[in-house]
Amino acid sequence: MTRTSVIAAHTRAGVRTLTLNRPDRLNAANDELLLALTAELRAADADSAVRVVVITGAGRGFCAGQDLGDVSGRGMTFTEHLNATYNPLIRTIRGLGKPVITAVNGVAAGAGASLALSGDIRLWAQSASLIEAFSNIALVPDSGSTWFLPRLVGYHRAFEMMALAERVRADDALRLGLCEQVYPDNTFAQDVQAYAERLAARPAHALNLTKQALNAAMTGTLDQALDEEARLQQLAGDHWEHEEGVSAFKEKRPAQFMRDVNSPDH
Ligand code: T3D
């Protein structure tokens, strides 16, 4: 376990869990937290023992967005601040070569809502909720909310959520496609770890390429997607994971995609 003052981190069974650790502020984000989280994510990306990253929150909140006690006198414009903190964080998550699970244990508000939406997989506790809280303080949704939300719920519902800043609870979030699973509060951490380990057993190289393909397709044309699929499929097909998957199928056994990271063909 490593611990800065604002992020607690541990690795178990290939799953790196990064816990936002300002529970008395519902894990509201100050600069230290944003920069530390981004650095932890980059380190996890470079660590071949890590196959899946989980971002979650300590205490009863996931992340209450920008720490509103930390905005005055910071010597930066809003634009400079977003470009220095939130935007590199969201880009790092979306560009990470490994699946990122946002494990939303409690309220996610403002940029915390954007963070909750930014994962490749979004798992929620039953008592979790999401608030596009920006308009409560007369700000514009940022940290990717304007990109993620309309793609999930359409323009009109996204606008309504942003304009009224009403709380979306877990059952509605599941129905709206804001999360993939909802788990009971009292087993949430174990359920997240079990899900993450299931993901960690999948072919890591193929999932990395899949993430790249989907990210490119989200902003491209069908023609571009077909070209990108053809390019990435060659990289997947040339990799040992593909050989292992096909051999396992023929031999009627489960594929073994988790190899010793020190093996020469890893
Ligand atoms: O570059 C830039 O700065 C622009 C970027 C902007 C990005 C943004 O995220 S803007 C949006 C900022 N976030 C918010 O406006 C949300 C503010 N918080 C709330 O609306 C509510 O706290 C919640 C709906 C999230 C939760 O409500 P509730 O009733 O469950 O909890 P609470 O009592 O309001 O909060 C508990 C404590 O956390 C409380 O402290 P206290 O009174 O016990 O000492 C509260 O002040 C603190 N807290 C909650 N959110 C924040 C916060 N402290 C600082 N900043 C916060 N964002």
Side-chain angles (χ1 to χ4, degrees):
M1 158 101 63
T2 59
R3 183 183 286 269
T4 67
S5 58
V6 287
I7 304 286
H10 71 271
T11 306
R12 179 148 59 92
V15 178
R16 181 80 171 156
T17 299
L18 305 175
T19 304
L20 314 187
N21 191 33
R22 303 185 72 221
D24 56 331
R25 288 281 162 271
L26 301 179
N27 304 311
N30 58 13
D31 287 3
E32 186 189 0
L33 181 144
L34 294 166
L35 297 177
L37 180 58
T38 305
E40 286 282 1
L41 286 160
R42 288 178 179 154
D45 210 13
D47 183 347
S48 56
V50 174
R51 295 173 69 88
V52 172
V53 179
V54 173
I55 301 174
T56 193
R60 72 176 179 89
F62 173 69
C63 175
Q66 171 62 35
D67 186 327
L68 298 176
D70 204 47
V71 287
S72 62
R74 66 187 175 195
M76 270 193 253
T77 64
F78 282 98
T79 303
E80 286 168 348
H81 186 246
L82 287 169
N83 284 331
T85 56
Y86 288 100
N87 291 354
L89 169 61
I90 300 300
R91 287 190 173 110
T92 299
I93 292 170
R94 298 306 321 138
L96 212 81
K98 302 172 183 185
V100 176
I101 295 175
T102 43
V104 183
N105 55 299
V107 65
S114 308
L115 180 62
L117 296 174
S118 72
D120 299 299
I121 297 286
R122 292 90 32 97
L123 306 179
W124 280 35
Q126 186 65 56
S127 66
S129 59
L130 180 143
I131 310 172
E132 288 286 333
F134 303 89
S135 63
N136 286 343
I137 54 170
L139 286 183
V140 171
D142 62 25
S143 308
S145 264
T146 63
W147 195 86
F148 296 123
L149 204 53
R151 282 171 171 74
L152 294 165
V153 300
Y155 169 92
H156 298 91
R157 203 179 284 272
F159 184 79
E160 183 183 52
M161 285 171 63
M162 292 166 174
L164 297 181
E166 288 175 348
R167 195 185 284 261
V168 179
R169 297 190 185 276
D171 292 342
D172 285 334
L174 191 59
R175 184 175 53 78
L176 288 168
L178 304 186
C179 61
E180 281 59 66
Q181 304 288 336
V182 175
Y183 295 117
D185 289 348
N186 60 351
T187 59
F188 185 59
Q190 300 93 291
D191 290 334
V192 168
Q193 179 69 25
Y195 188 111
E197 287 184 22
R198 199 148 56 91
L199 206 50
R202 304 296 298 159
H205 181 254
L207 295 198
N208 178 6
L209 299 178
T210 301
K211 182 167 172 174
Q212 286 179 42
L214 275 175
N215 275 324
M218 294 284 275
T219 53
T221 63
L222 173 60
D223 264 348
Q224 288 165 336
L226 291 170
D227 286 343
E228 189 65 352
E229 287 170 4
R231 186 182 77 79
L232 294 172
Q233 195 67 292
Q234 193 61 50
L235 301 179
D238 288 343
H239 198 271
W240 66 261
E241 286 178 349
H242 172 57
E243 198 181 313
E244 165 60 9
V246 173
S247 301
F249 173 77
K250 288 180 179 166
E251 294 161 19
K252 300 188 186 302
R253 61 170 174 82
Q256 179 48 263
F257 293 120
M258 292 178 78
R259 285 197 178 167
D260 179 354
V261 293
N262 297 316
S263 80
D265 58 351
H266 176 76

